[in-house]
Amino acid sequence: MFRKEEVEQILAQARDKDPNLKMHGASEHQYKLKPPVDLAFVRAVEEEYHFRLPEDYVQFITEVGDGGAGPGYGLYSFGFYHTQAKSAREAKLRDSYLHGLSKDPQLQLLNLDVLKYFCILEESYKQNTEKYFRTGSFNHDNDTPNGFFHLGTYGCARDYGLITCGERYGQIFIYDIEGAFELEAGSFQAFYQDWLDFILDTERFKKELKMWS
């Protein structure tokens, strides 16, 4: 379980180490969290669209912060779904996306025979063949895999998100434009804690900051 005060203290350390926001994505989120979203709203969306978000993620967005500081360009806000759609088309795509979260993404392990169709280095693949997948269930309305809730992006067409249905429920994956899934963490708790640990590791943080600077 994350505590708001503790997370904000770590983010303050990041701002002290990177006052000019040179770290990749920092200029977007500025090491700041957005206000939490109301739990009743989260439950209402889940009930309407028949899916359930992992409790560690729900605890974070309702008690710590709904979007903002996080890996890459930061976390998206779940409260976005409380805003008015800008057009009938956007409203339809939103609705289709949320309905898709209740469907099993049917992740299938990639094998070497099809690796050439994906942006994955063979050397990286062979180091851990158990972390690369593709989906067998796709939402063609909005070009989004079913059962994959987008949490944020690293840029370069590499998004990260959590699985909302099926045997991989609650796990965090990177999804790229080629359609490959790469296992990133076993849970949102582990995923976000790993990013906080990166901030706390001053030597590692400054080394990467120097590269981006």
Side-chain angles (χ1 to χ4, degrees):
M1 178 181 292
F2 291 106
R3 298 186 182 279
K4 184 177 179 65
E5 298 78 9
E6 294 174 357
V7 173
E8 289 182 336
Q9 286 176 4
I10 296 173
L11 295 178
Q13 292 182 43
R15 289 194 294 273
D16 290 341
K17 297 173 185 177
D18 181 24
N20 296 317
L21 305 176
K22 296 294 185 180
M23 185 67 79
H24 174 62
S27 60
E28 184 71 22
H29 59 71
Q30 300 181 22
Y31 303 109
K32 295 179 181 179
L33 289 168
K34 297 178 181 178
V37 68
D38 188 66
L39 177 60
F41 167 70
V42 177
R43 295 306 185 206
V45 175
E46 291 176 324
E47 183 175 352
E48 180 177 358
Y49 291 96
H50 308 292
F51 70 91
R52 196 76 169 179
L53 295 168
E55 288 304 313
D56 54 355
Y57 175 67
V58 172
Q59 185 268 329
F60 189 90
I61 63 175
T62 60
E63 297 180 17
V64 182
D66 179 33
Y73 288 91
L75 300 172
Y76 295 150
S77 171
F78 187 81
F80 165 76
Y81 299 103
H82 203 288
T83 62
Q84 185 78 24
K86 296 178 181 178
S87 66
R89 181 176 182 277
E90 182 182 314
K92 180 181 178 181
L93 291 177
R94 247 193 234 190
D95 188 67
S96 177
Y97 169 69
L98 290 171
H99 273 298
L101 295 179
S102 65
K103 299 176 182 178
D104 190 340
Q106 300 174 15
L107 295 182
Q108 305 162 4
L109 279 170
L110 284 180
N111 58 57
L112 198 55
D113 293 339
V114 300
L115 195 65
K116 61 184 177 182
Y117 300 114
F118 300 93
C119 293
I120 301 170
L121 295 175
E122 185 173 333
E123 181 181 350
S124 299
Y125 171 79
K126 288 183 175 180
Q127 287 177 356
N128 190 346
T129 61
E130 299 297 312
K131 66 184 293 187
Y132 295 103
F133 299 77
R134 61 176 173 173
T135 181
S137 177
F138 206 78
N139 185 334
H140 295 285
D141 287 342
N142 50 19
D143 295 326
T144 303
N146 284 320
F148 179 74
F149 181 73
H150 285 82
L151 291 174
T153 183
Y154 290 116
C156 298
R158 283 168 57 83
D159 295 343
Y160 59 87
L162 58 84
I163 303 300
T164 54
C165 189
E167 65 177 346
R168 296 280 174 176
Y169 177 78
Q171 294 181 349
I172 305 293
F173 280 82
I174 297 173
Y175 171 71
D176 67 32
I177 196 170
E178 299 294 330
F181 281 79
E182 180 181 348
L183 181 61
E184 183 81 343
S187 66
F188 176 80
Q189 173 90 21
F191 174 70
Y192 198 80
Q193 185 61 57
D194 184 63
W195 185 69
L196 294 178
D197 290 343
F198 163 67
I199 292 173
L200 291 170
D201 187 340
T202 300
E203 183 177 345
R204 182 182 165 205
F205 185 91
K206 288 187 174 181
K207 183 177 179 181
E208 187 157 335
L209 179 60
K210 183 179 180 180
M211 180 185 71
W212 288 107
S213 298

